[in-house]
Structure formats: structure tokens, C-alpha cells
């Protein structure tokens, strides 16, 4: 009997009715997500090709939808994928099974890469290289998935195209929702405009893009930034920027007086708006600043300072004149940026981290990385509305000091140049600090991810002290220490500038004779600064040399000492400016509205020196050695100003304890530099010991090259003016003897200043013959100005043009921005034009006149307040018969030129009131170490 054949086993269905529903869900979500992804990808590549940012608020909502759909898709894909794989694993169509496996793997890669890109929790991947790999994986794998799905279906059941039509309908609905989203607006300011219109912002040059107020909630939205940038926020909280406004007791005391004076004098506080564009952006732009009853202690905006938004929402820098000449606008944020709801905040943060390009375009413009951005507030002029004096008066100016320096790589006339230019302010004042947070980038110096330090270390140790910020004091100390060098360089016998010079001094070994007098020649030299020292609030910064001479344990000479209240002796040498009002009273409380002129200016340019002379009388009665110590000390505020600040404070409302009026000045004193020498005392003069006098470097740590000691000494006297030119020339001659071209180069500067043009020409020729030669650009500039004075105008113009055309890319040097040299070129061209006019060569006259006009115009593009350029453009316009232009530039020249009468009005009274300052203002100053 034959067995009947077995009944074939019915194949198991790989897609059950329930799985089919899930498949529809997956395909629908994938279709919508694909359409959404194509939109997002298209915008991304459009930005790449155009360099513009198109990530609008609508785009952010689309991206939020992408995240939501992606997360929503995870569970259906995983369930369907693994269920389908399990049911199909034994199918005989192995090709379809293998393609299915690959498709599931690719789908998982898409989902996992998407989750990794969101930076959720511990998945916060900040390494740019790793993120790039994940991004491209997420971008390309959907294409692979579509291809694999098509192959998978080709070897399986026939594709049912009606499902595609359903997906298309779903996509259409989703696009409709997206269009509805586009109508939303993330900004919250109410659009209220000042009654005065644009005049509300004057005399500050700041303005809003719309001419309307910006909500204080927008400007003070610092907690929004804190959520992603906690390390930067922590730095900023302790910065002077955060404490720039009425939360700064020193500023508050001064601006209160400015507001009070303006209200009494003008009937409004409008003049004090000049301060607000930089110091008080939140009350200023929100409309509170002009309220005469504004509560500058308890109002929340009084404590805002310069917030994150105040800087990062600036849309443009509108000129180089400073005085807050910028335009700010309410920034566009991601959805829910202002929400107080935790979940919505998290969604907003998620979008920022996953898709930061829009945020970066709104909050970090290219100009934020430039010196021009910092110069917007760190370059100041005083308007007539404030002073009721001239329409314009120069105030502090970090920007031009930096621009015209060797440090920037733009100043062609510097004494020294760094190996490589510092291209902006950030390299000193926003140094990199290690960070693993959002926005960190790889920094070669630190060898890891880093952000810029937003503590902005500089010099305001007073605020750090008052707020108990010891780290802040240390940051300021670290920046200041070693920024200058102090060198006890030499002795001049007879206590006279004309006396025999014994130099350079070693720390041990030099001798003095009992009963004789000597000038101790002391040199300060700026080292790491890119601008003048001191800069900014030069009238209240207190920097001085503390000088002591000790013999047998007793002080036999001193300068720069302090009394029981820590007041510095007024007969000390101060590195500051002594500013006075029109009655000759010192500007002693940052009362900017009263500034009139300067009795003396002791600022030191970058890469330059200052020579100070101290008179020492050697006692007759002792042979014990004399120990000389000099320290350059810094304190933010002098005692007089500190008492003014203390008197202004209301202890019932202000928690900061500043002490009481009459208490000692307890602000930190930072030692910037020091030097010490020990002098042997003898009965008769001992000839100079050639061994240490001819050493290649000093015995200091670190040692100073001997040629540089002589050079710095000469530079200090050259910058003092005619009273010390002879001694400067002698010092530079010695530099040349030591084989340095700096010697004859700087000697040529002295000779030019004295009118010895032939001597300057010989020195310049000598400098070129030395090895190493001088900087070609400096030599060309100095040769150009000498040739102009000699009447060699064509040669002068060629040399000056060559200076401006010089580029040294590997060092970051570009001297086309030195507008002082460009003025010299324009003057030479104008001289040639007038020469051609006299000769009757009309065509050449017009040609050179136009070339001169173009150069002066270029100067105004760099420095629109340049009085020299305006004066000569008025002259050129007159020669060309353009009366309107002539009057325009003549008026601007009158505005920007110095007031020749100011000194005669105010300084006689100032000299009578302040004999110590009057002494410091003399052409030749000698500080007596034995003054009672």
C-alpha cells in the first residue's frame, strides 16, 4: 500500500494585518519626514552656496517637527523591523531576506545618528570631527534606505502604488501645517517708539534697527544663554561688563553727578545718554533711562550691565568713531526661547544644539571678532551736549592706539614689532579657556576644545575686590604683571641731566662717591600691551613708581610712598593723565561733563619707553652700600575718588561694603614690575668696570639685551621732547655702536625732530648698511618724511606709497591702515600739485591734486575725525573751486582740531592749585628722593 503525499505546509505570512497597519504608519511618517528633511537639506545647501543664513523662525519650527517625527518614528520602525525580520528569517527568497536585514540596519543608523545629533543629555557630542561623521551618515543613509527598499520590494510582492498616493496626501497636509507655522513671530517687544524719535538716543550714537524700544526681557535674557553656556556665563557674571551700569558703585557715583548737572543745567538728563549707549544698554534701549525718577539701585535693569544680548544682538558697527555707534535689534530666537515652561525650554534648547547655524548667525557676526567692534565703546569723544564746550573733544581711545601700533601689524612707525601681529583685542582680553560645552572649538594652544574667556581680564581690580571675587583679582594681576618692564638703567653724576652717564647698571657692582649727587636714570618699557599704558580712565587709574634708597637699614631717599590712609605722595611719578576743567580744577571724580584740557599726559605708547629721573644725594657719613628698589604699582582708584564713591553710596540700600569716607584706601595694589640694584659707596670716583658695562645682557631674570636697555632709555627721552633730545641722541649712538640698526634709525628720528635733515639722511643710510637691517617699512616712512622736508617730493611720495603698500602675510602685517603715513603721502602729493601749478603744468596739477584728495579721503575712511585730513581737503577744494566742499571740510576741521586757547585758559590756575602736578608737567622733571 502506497503512502499518500504529505500536504504542503502553508507559508507563514511575513506581514500580518497588524504589522501591515504598522507598516502604513512607518511609511507615512517616513514620507512626511523625507519631505521635511528635503526642505531642511535644501536650506542647508542654499546657505553653503550663498553664504547667507535662511534659517528663519519657520525653518526652526520645521526642524522642531523633524525632531518630533524622528523620535516618533523610532518605536514603529524598531517594532515593525524586528517583527518582520523574525517572521521572514526562514523564507527561501534569501536575497529579499538579506536586503531586508540591510534595510533594517540602515534604518537604525538613520535613527541613531539623528538622536546623536540632538545632543540630548549624555549624548552631547561636541567634537566637530565626530559630529561631522554622524551628520553625513544621517544625511546619506536615507538615500541608501530608499534604494534598499526598492530592491527589497522588487524581489517580493508587487509594489502597491496606491499607498504612495496616501503618503502624498499626508505630506500635503503636513506642508499646510508648516505654512501656517510660518506666520508666527518669535519676537516679544511691543513696538513702542520713543516720543522723540531717533533723537531719543542722542548724544549717544547707538540706535535700534527699528527706531523703537526693545523689551528689557529681551535684553536681559541671560538665563537663556546660561542653559547652554554655563562656563561663559560664570565668567561674564564676574566681569566688568556685567558690572558696567548702576551696579558699579564707581560708575553710579559719577553718572549720578552727570545726570544731576544735566538736569539742573538743561532741564533734562538727556546729556547723560552719552554714557548709556555703552554702560546702560538695558535701561537705555527699553526706555527707562530718561526717567528722572529712575531707581538706579532697586530697578532690575539697573543691575543688568552689558548683557549677552547687548553685545551679541548688535547688527552693525556704523563707523570707527566709537561712542556706541552701532545698531542693535531684537534677535530672532528659536521657538519657546522665552517660555517659563521646562518642557518647552528643553525643546528650544534641543533645537539650538541640534541645528545651531541660525543661532550663530543671529548672535555671532563676523565683526564681533574684530578690534573695530571693541572700539565701538572703547573709543570715546565728548560731545558739546555733554560738556557745553566744543562740539567734539577726544576722550579715551584704545582703538586708534592699537591700530597705529606695531602690535596690530598696521602701524609703520613703531620702535618694536612682535614676531606676529595680534589681529584683535580678544587674544589678550578674551584668552581661550578649556570647555566641553556647546559652542566650544578646538584650540591649538590648549590642545583641546575651548571657548573665549568672558571675564575680560584687564585692570578693574576694584570691582573684583568689592564683590569678593578673588579669582577676578588674580586674573587682572596675571594680565598686568610683566606687561611693563622697569629698568634701573644708569647714574648721572652731579645730579644733572648733563652729567656723566654711568650705564648700564648691573644689579651689583656700580659705585657712587660719598657726598656726591646722582640722577638715577629709570626706564619704563611697555611689553605686552597693544595700546597706550595707561588707557581708558586715565584720570582715575593710579599707577606710580615706588622708589626707595636704603643704607644701614635706614631709608635715605624715597618717592611714591603712602601715608596712613594709603594715599600716594602727590610728588611721585604717576603714569596717568592729569585732566582739568576750565577753572583748572582736577577731574577727580570721573566728571566727564567738566573735562576741558590736560596738564600733563604720562601715557606710554605700545612698544615704547618712558625715562624718569630721580635725584639721590649720597650721605657723607657712611660707606655702607645703598640698596635701591623701584616698583611700578597699580591701583584702580586713588583715595580721593574712592572717598567720593563711598560718600555717594547709601548703605541702607547698597549691600556692597566699600568702607567709609576717611578710611584707608584698601583697594588691591598690583606690582607690575620691579628692579633693584646695590650701589657700593666709595671715597672717590671709580672708573667704569668694562666687564659688566659691555655685557651682552643684564644680570636680571629674565636678562635684558644691553642694546635694548640703551634703546629704551633713548626712546623714553625722545618722547619727552626737546629738553632731552641730546641725551636721546647719545643713547641711540651707543645702540649703533652695539651693532643694531635701531640706533641710527632712532637717531634719525631725533635729528629730524631737531631739523637736522642732512644728519637724518646720513643716519638712515648707515642703518641700511647694518645687519640685520631695520624694518623696511619704518625706514621707508622716515626716509619719506625727511625727503619731503628736503624738497625731494617725488622721492618722498614714492617712499611713503611703498610703506603703505607693504604687506608681510606670514607676520600678519598690513601697513595700508596707518593713516598717519597716508596723511604724509597726501601732503607730499599736495606739495607736488602746488609745485606743478607754479610751473604752469595744468594737467599734472589736476592729476596730483586729485591723487592727494583721494589719499586724504581714504584717511577719513579710517579716521573720520582726522583734523589734518579735513584741513587739507578744504584747501584742495578751494584750489579746485569747490566752495561747498571747502566749507564742509573747514567746518569739520574746526570741529575736530585742538582748542589752542584751552591751555592758556585753564593751566595757569591748575599750576597754582597743584604744584606737584605742575612740577610733573615740566619739560624736564627730576624727582627729589629727599623731599620732605
Amino acid at each position: 500500500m502506497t503512502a499518500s503525499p504529505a500536504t504542503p505546509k502553508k507559508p507563514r505570512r511575513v506581514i500580518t494585518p497588524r504589522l501591515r497597519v504598522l507598516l502604513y504608519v512607518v511609511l507615512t511618517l517616513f514620507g512626511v519626514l523625507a519631505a521635511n528633511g528635503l526642505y531642511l537639506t535644501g536650506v542647508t545647501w542654499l546657505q553653503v552656496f550663498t553664504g547667507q543664513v535662511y534659517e528663519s523662525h519657520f525653518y526652526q519650527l520645521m526642524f522642531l517637527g523633524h525632531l518630533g517625527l524622528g523620535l516618533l518614528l523610532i518605536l514603529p520602525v524598531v517594532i515593525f523591523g524586528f517583527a518582520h525580520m523574525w517572521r521572514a528569517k526562514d523564507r527561501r527568497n534569501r536575497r529579499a531576506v538579506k536586503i531586508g536585514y540591510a534595510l533594517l540596519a540602515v534604518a537604525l543608523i538613520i535613527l541613531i545618528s539623528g538622536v546623536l545629533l540632538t545632543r540630548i543629555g549624555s549624548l552631547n557630542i561636541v567634537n566637530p570631527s565626530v559630529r561631522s561623521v554622524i551628520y553625513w551618515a544621517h544625511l546619506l543613509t536615507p538615500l541608501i534606505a530608499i534604494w534598499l527598499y526598492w530592491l527589497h520590494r522588487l524581489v517580493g510582492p508587487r509594489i502597491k502604488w496606491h499607498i504612495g498616493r496616501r503618503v502624498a496626501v499626508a505630506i500635503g497636509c503636513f506642508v499646510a501645517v508648516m505654512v501656517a507655522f510660518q506666520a508666527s513671530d518669535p519676537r516679544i517687544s511691543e513696538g513702542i517708539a520713543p516720543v522723540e524719535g531717533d533723537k531719543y538716543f542722542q548724544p549717544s550714537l547707538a540706535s535700534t534697527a527699528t527706531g523703537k524700544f526693545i523689551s528689557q526681557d529681551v535684553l536681559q535674557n541671560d538665563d537663556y544663554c546660561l542653559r547652554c553656556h554655563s562656563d561663559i556665563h560664570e565668567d561674564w557674571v564676574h566681569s566688568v561688563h556685567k558690572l558696567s551700569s548702576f551696579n558699579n558703585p564707581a560708575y553710579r557715583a559719577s553718572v549720578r553727578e552727570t545726570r544731576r548737572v544735566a538736569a539742573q543745567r538743561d532741564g533734562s538728563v538727556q546729556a547723560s545718554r552719552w554714557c548709556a549707549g555703552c554702560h546702560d544698554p538695558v535701561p537705555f534701549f527699553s526706555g527707562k533711562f530718561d526717567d528722572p525718577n529712575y531707581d538706579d539701585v532697586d530697578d532690575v535693569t539697573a543691575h543688568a550691565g552689558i548683557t549677552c544680548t547687548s553685545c551679541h544682538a548688535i547688527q552693525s558697527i556704523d563707523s570707527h568713531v566709537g561712542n556706541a555707534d552701532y545698531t542693535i535689534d531684537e534677535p530672532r530666537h528659536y521657538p519657546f526661547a522665552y517660555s517659563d515652561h521646562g518642557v518647552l525650554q528643553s525643546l528650544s534648547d534641543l533645537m539650538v544644539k541640534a541645528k545651531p547655524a541660525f543661532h550663530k548667525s543671529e548672535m555671532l557676526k563676523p565683526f564681533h571678532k574684530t578690534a573695530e567692534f571693541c572700539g565701538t565703546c572703547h573709543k570715546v569723544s565728548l560731545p558739546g551736549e555733554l560738556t557745553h564746550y566744543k562740539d567734539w573733544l577726544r576722550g579715551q581711545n584704545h582703538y586708534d592706539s592699537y591700530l597705529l601700533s606695531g602690535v596690530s601689524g598696521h602701524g609703520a612707525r613703531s620702535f618694536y614689532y612682535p614676531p606676529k601681529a595680534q589681529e584683535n583685542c580678544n587674544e589678550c582680553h578674551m584668552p581661550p579657556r578649556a570647555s566641553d560645552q556647546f559652542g566650544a572649538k578646538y584650540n591649538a594652544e590648549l590642545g583641546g576644545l575651548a571657548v573665549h574667556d568672558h571675564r575680560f581680564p584687564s585692570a578693574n581690580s576694584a570691582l573684583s575686590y568689592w564683590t569678593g571675587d578673588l579669582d577676578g583679582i588674580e586674573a587682572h594681576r596675571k594680565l598686568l604683571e610683566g606687561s611693563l618692564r622697569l629698568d634701573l638703567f644708569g647714574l648721572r653724576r652731579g645730579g644733572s641731566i648733563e652729567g656723566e652717564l654711568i650705564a648700564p647698571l648691573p644689579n651689583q657692582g656700580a659705585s657712587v662717591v660719598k657726598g656726591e649727587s646722582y640722577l638715577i636714570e629709570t626706564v619704563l618699557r611697555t611689553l605686552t600691551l597693544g595700546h597706550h599704558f595707561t588707557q581708558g580712565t586715565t584720570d582715575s587709574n593710579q599707577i606710580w613708581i615706588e622708589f626707595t634708597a636704603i643704607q644701614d637699614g635706614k631709608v635715605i631717599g624715597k618717592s611714591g610712598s603712602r601715608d596712613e590712609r594709603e594715599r600716594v605722595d602727590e610728588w611721585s611719578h604717576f603714569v596717568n593723565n592729569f585732566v582739568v576743567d576750565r577753572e583748572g580744577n582736577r577731574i577727580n571724580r570721573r566728571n566727564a561733563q567738566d573735562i576741558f584740557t590736560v596738564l600733563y599726559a604720562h601715557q606710554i605708547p605700545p612698544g615704547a619707553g618712558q625715562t624718569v629721573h630721580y635725584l639721590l644725594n649720597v650721605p657723607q657719613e657712611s660707606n655702607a652700600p645703598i640698596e635701591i628698589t623701584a616698583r611700578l604699582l597699580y591701583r584702580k582708584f586713588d583715595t580721593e575718588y574712592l572717598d567720593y564713591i563711598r560718600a555717594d553710596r547709601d548703605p541702607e540700600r547698597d549691600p556692597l561694603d566699600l568702607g567709609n569716607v576717611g578710611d584707608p584706601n584698601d583697594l588691591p595694589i598690583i606690582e607690575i614690575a620691579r628692579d633693584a640694584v646695590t650701589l657700593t659707596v666709595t671715597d672717590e670716583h671709580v672708573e667704569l668696570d668694562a666687564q659688566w658695562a659691555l655685557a651682552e645682557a643684564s644680570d636680571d631674570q629674565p636678562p635684558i639685551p644691553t642694546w635694548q636697555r640703551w634703546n629704551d632709555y633713548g626712546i623714553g627721552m625722545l618722547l619727552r621732547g626737546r629738553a632731552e633730545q641730546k641725551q636721546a641722541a647719545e643713547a641711540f649712538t651707543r645702540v649703533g655702536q652695539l651693532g643694531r640698526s635701531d640706533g641710527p634709525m632712532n637717531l634719525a628720528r631725533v635729528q629730524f625732530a631737531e631739523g637736522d635733515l642732512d644728519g637724518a639722511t646720513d643716519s638712515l643710510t648707515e642703518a641700511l648698511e647694518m645687519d640685520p637691517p631695520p624694518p623696511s617699512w619704518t625706514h621707508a616712512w622716515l626716509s619719506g618724511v625727511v625727503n619731503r622736508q628736503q624738497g625731494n617730493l617725488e622721492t618722498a611720495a614714492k617712499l611713503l606709497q611703498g610703506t603703505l603698500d607693504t604687506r608681510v602675510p606670514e607676520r600678519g602685517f598690513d601697513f595700508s591702515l596707518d593713516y598717519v603715513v597716508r596723511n604724509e603721502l597726501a601732503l607730499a602729493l599736495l606739495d607736488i600739485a602746488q609745485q606743478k601749478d607754479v610751473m604752469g603744468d595744468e594737467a599734472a596739477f589736476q592729476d596730483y591734486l586729485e591723487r592727494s584728495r583721494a589719499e586724504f579721503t581714504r584717511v577719513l575712511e579710517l579716521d573720520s575725525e582726522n583734523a589734518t585730513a579735513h584741513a587739507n581737503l578744504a584747501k584742495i577744494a578751494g584750489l579746485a573751486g569747490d566752495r561747498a566742499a571747502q566749507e564742509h571740510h573747514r567746518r569739520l576741521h574746526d570741529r575736530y582740531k585742538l582748542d589752542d586757547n584751552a591751555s592758556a585758559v585753564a593751566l595757569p590756575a591748575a599750576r597754582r592749585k597743584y604744584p606737584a602736578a605742575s612740577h610733573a608737567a615740566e619739560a624736564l622733571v627730576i624727582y627729589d628722593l629727599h623731599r620732605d
Side-chain angles (χ1 to χ4, degrees), residues 47 52-57 60 185-187 209 218 224-225 308-316 327-335 337-338 352 355-368 373:
Q47 293 176 156
Q52 303 294 318
V53 176
Y54 295 97
E55 296 181 8
S56 64
H57 187 63
Q60 304 308 325
D185 192 328
R187 289 171 292 191
V218 170
Y224 172 69
C225 308
C308 309
T309 303
S310 299
C311 273
H312 288 279
I314 290 176
Q315 302 299 304
S316 63
T327 299
I328 190 171
D329 195 13
E330 177 176 349
R332 295 172 298 165
H333 285 303
Y334 293 69
Y338 297 102
V352 172
K355 205 70 175 174
F358 172 70
H359 182 66
K360 183 177 179 180
S361 72
E362 280 293 293
M363 306 304 285
L364 187 63
K365 307 290 192 297
F367 62 72
H368 280 114
F373 176 67

Side-chain angles (χ1 to χ4, degrees), residues 692-708:
W692 57 259
L694 298 178
E696 292 186 2
S698 71
D699 51 356
D700 297 280
Q701 291 299 325
I704 310 170
T706 296
W707 74 265
Q708 205 171 102

